[in-house]
Amino acid sequence: MPMISFGRPTHLSFWLCAMLMLPSFIISKQYTAILGHLPFKRNCPLAFVNHRHFHKTGSLHLNRILFDTSEIDEEVPSANGDGSNNAPLATVTLSKDDYRTMHVAKILGLQNGDSLRAGSVRSPEQEDNQLAGLITDDAIVTWLPEGKIKKAQPTKNGDPPGSLQISIPQPPNTSLWNERNSTIIEDGAVDLSDTASVSLLLALPRPLQLGRILPMVSQLGIDQLVLTNAKKVPKDYFGSHIFRKPEVLRGLLVEGLAQSGDVRLPNVTVTKRLKIFMEDELDAMFPRGEVARVIAHPQRKNVAENDGVEDEVNTVKRMSDIDFPSGVPRRILVAVGPEGGWDESYELDMFTNKGFQQITLGTRVLRSDVAVVSLLALAHEVCATDPS
């Protein structure tokens, strides 16, 4: 009697049936939602899967919608005819594919007449621009439908119906920069009470890391940012697209401001010669009698040859131990080196001769982004501490 094996044919039949049923499974509309999460490309046979590409940006956390003063509409809607002055201070119209419009529609889901937090970015050269540095929590959303869309509200899938108009209300619902930050003291001088007290001198990291550091720096808040060369910094880092296209650098800083809700851009200085900057520009930008200067460097240890006991080579300070100039508000300049550290025989002596106090975060060698965030957080803490 011939022997019959059911194992192998049974498996072949199963896979044959699966292959025959697969096309009907894919084409069925009830499974398109599942396929929508798969990374198919446009040239794939399953091209019906819908892909939406935002306006050249990734996912951003916008705790305040920021805009540049150049984006403010030239014509502002007039007041109502009932005698009340309801005309906004300014309006900004953003295109349908702008990442901020996408954020308001998809993430916030705001409707016509809803309010949101908004502000205008203020850079150091905009001292005379009255509309730079506006901050409001009561900006009004107005959707402007485009094309076949008639309803002035986000669509069912969350897409914006058209352009977005943001109306900035009149004071006191909007805080003006000069009114918010300038106060007149007894002798008639102007005191900028909200000026950032921390500045950063950073040896240029790798361009990829710099792209991560810049939003972090503006989130924490600094007054001056100096990007400089150092012995262990490759010269080709200055050829990065971040420096070839100034709008890229500015955009990364604005990204951090939108996260923190601030509107003040730091003043950025790029120098390829550290020694010349230290000799010619340092004292003018950071007077020794007004600003505490500190340099961060890993703490080194020696191991004794005989007993293997670790000895600290140099006793260096922690951030909480630094000395500030007396009689002036606390301000600090923090110098952070490359990942390989400052050159110990030349650069450290140059900083020391310029009045920099050496501090450390310990014996660990940290990446530039970790060191910058840690040091800036500590610097803000000591500046906010009551000297008494």
Side-chain angles (χ1 to χ4, degrees):
M1 183 175 180
M3 297 183 64
I4 302 176
S5 175
F6 293 95
R8 189 175 183 83
T10 301
H11 287 295
L12 292 175
S13 301
F14 171 79
W15 288 110
L16 181 61
C17 293
M19 292 175 64
L20 292 174
M21 295 176 63
L22 182 61
S24 61
F25 173 84
I26 294 177
I27 297 175
S28 176
K29 292 183 179 181
Q30 60 181 330
Y31 295 109
T32 56
I34 299 176
L35 294 173
H37 296 284
L38 300 179
F40 295 126
K41 297 182 179 179
R42 287 289 185 181
N43 57 1
C44 177
L46 304 178
F48 59 82
V49 179
N50 190 13
H51 285 251
R52 298 181 180 88
H53 299 280
F54 287 1
H55 184 57
K56 299 179 181 179
T57 181
S59 177
L60 300 179
H61 302 282
L62 306 180
N63 291 322
R64 188 178 299 278
I65 302 298
L66 297 182
F67 52 87
D68 194 78
T69 53
S70 61
E71 297 180 289
I72 297 177
D73 298 335
E74 294 182 1
E75 296 183 3
V76 179
S78 59
N80 295 336
D82 56 1
S84 60
N85 185 16
N86 294 326
L89 177 66
T91 59
V92 179
T93 303
L94 305 176
S95 63
K96 181 178 180 179
D97 62 345
D98 191 280
Y99 72 93
R100 294 163 291 185
T101 305
M102 291 288 187
H103 184 85
V104 173
K106 284 185 168 291
I107 307 301
L108 302 182
L110 298 183
Q111 306 292 328
N112 258 2
D114 289 344
S115 61
L116 82 164
R117 304 175 70 198
S120 60
V121 176
R122 181 181 179 87
S123 54
E125 65 271 10
Q126 293 179 307
E127 295 181 359
D128 298 330
N129 193 331
Q130 297 297 323
L131 295 179
L134 300 177
I135 286 183
T136 181
D137 294 341
D138 301 310
I140 304 301
V141 170
T142 303
W143 291 108
L144 306 176
E146 298 175 358
K148 297 181 179 180
I149 300 178
K150 303 302 180 184
K151 292 184 178 180
Q153 62 184 25
T155 60
K156 293 182 179 180
N157 58 5
D159 288 337
S163 300
L164 170 65
Q165 185 180 80
I166 300 176
S167 299
I168 308 298
Q170 295 282 351
N173 292 332
T174 296
S175 175
L176 302 179
W177 173 266
N178 292 336
E179 296 178 358
R180 184 173 67 251
N181 295 282
S182 299
T183 57
I184 305 299
I185 55 180
E186 293 182 358
D187 58 357
V190 177
D191 175 31
L192 295 177
S193 57
D194 199 25
T195 301
S197 55
V198 179
S199 296
L200 174 65
L201 189 153
L202 177 64
L204 200 63
R206 291 180 290 113
L208 184 63
Q209 271 197 333
L210 181 61
R212 294 196 300 262
I213 290 175
L214 290 175
M216 299 178 187
V217 163
S218 58
Q219 282 181 56
L220 290 169
I222 60 173
D223 181 32
Q224 302 274 349
L225 172 61
V226 180
L227 299 173
T228 182
N229 194 12
K231 186 175 181 179
K232 298 178 183 178
V233 173
K235 294 181 180 179
D236 57 354
Y237 283 4
F238 285 93
S240 166
H241 69 288
I242 296 179
F243 299 107
R244 295 197 308 269
K245 300 178 179 179
E247 65 273 12
V248 175
L249 190 151
R250 180 185 174 91
L252 291 170
L253 293 174
V254 171
E255 178 184 335
L257 293 181
Q259 167 67 41
S260 64
D262 196 5
V263 296
R264 299 165 298 177
L265 279 176
N267 187 26
V268 181
T269 301
V270 179
T271 176
K272 297 182 180 180
R273 298 182 178 182
L274 176 60
K275 182 179 180 181
I276 294 178
F277 172 81
M278 297 285 287
E279 294 177 350
D280 299 342
E281 301 181 46
L282 178 66
D283 291 334
M285 294 179 62
F286 310 102
R288 187 178 298 193
E290 300 177 7
V291 182
R293 304 173 180 178
V294 298
I295 178 173
H297 193 68
Q299 187 173 7
R300 304 301 186 191
K301 288 186 177 182
N302 278 343
V303 179
E305 296 181 358
N306 297 329
D307 53 9
V309 178
E310 293 183 349
D311 279 332
E312 296 183 358
V313 177
N314 295 316
T315 302
V316 292
K317 299 179 179 180
R318 295 284 182 166
M319 185 70 78
S320 57
D321 301 327
I322 64 174
D323 300 319
F324 283 90
S326 58
V328 293
R330 286 192 168 189
R331 295 176 57 199
I332 186 172
L333 169 64
V334 182
V336 182
E339 290 186 355
W342 299 105
D343 182 73
E344 295 189 7
S345 61
Y346 173 72
E347 291 175 340
L348 286 181
D349 291 341
M350 179 172 59
F351 279 102
T352 302
N353 294 335
K354 284 292 184 178
F356 279 78
Q357 307 171 60
Q358 185 175 338
I359 63 170
T360 183
L361 292 175
T363 57
R364 295 177 180 269
V365 179
L366 304 177
R367 293 196 319 183
S368 297
D369 50 356
V370 177
V372 166
V373 171
S374 302
L375 290 166
L376 290 183
L378 293 173
H380 278 287
E381 181 66 22
V382 296
C383 286
T385 303
D386 187 356
S388 60

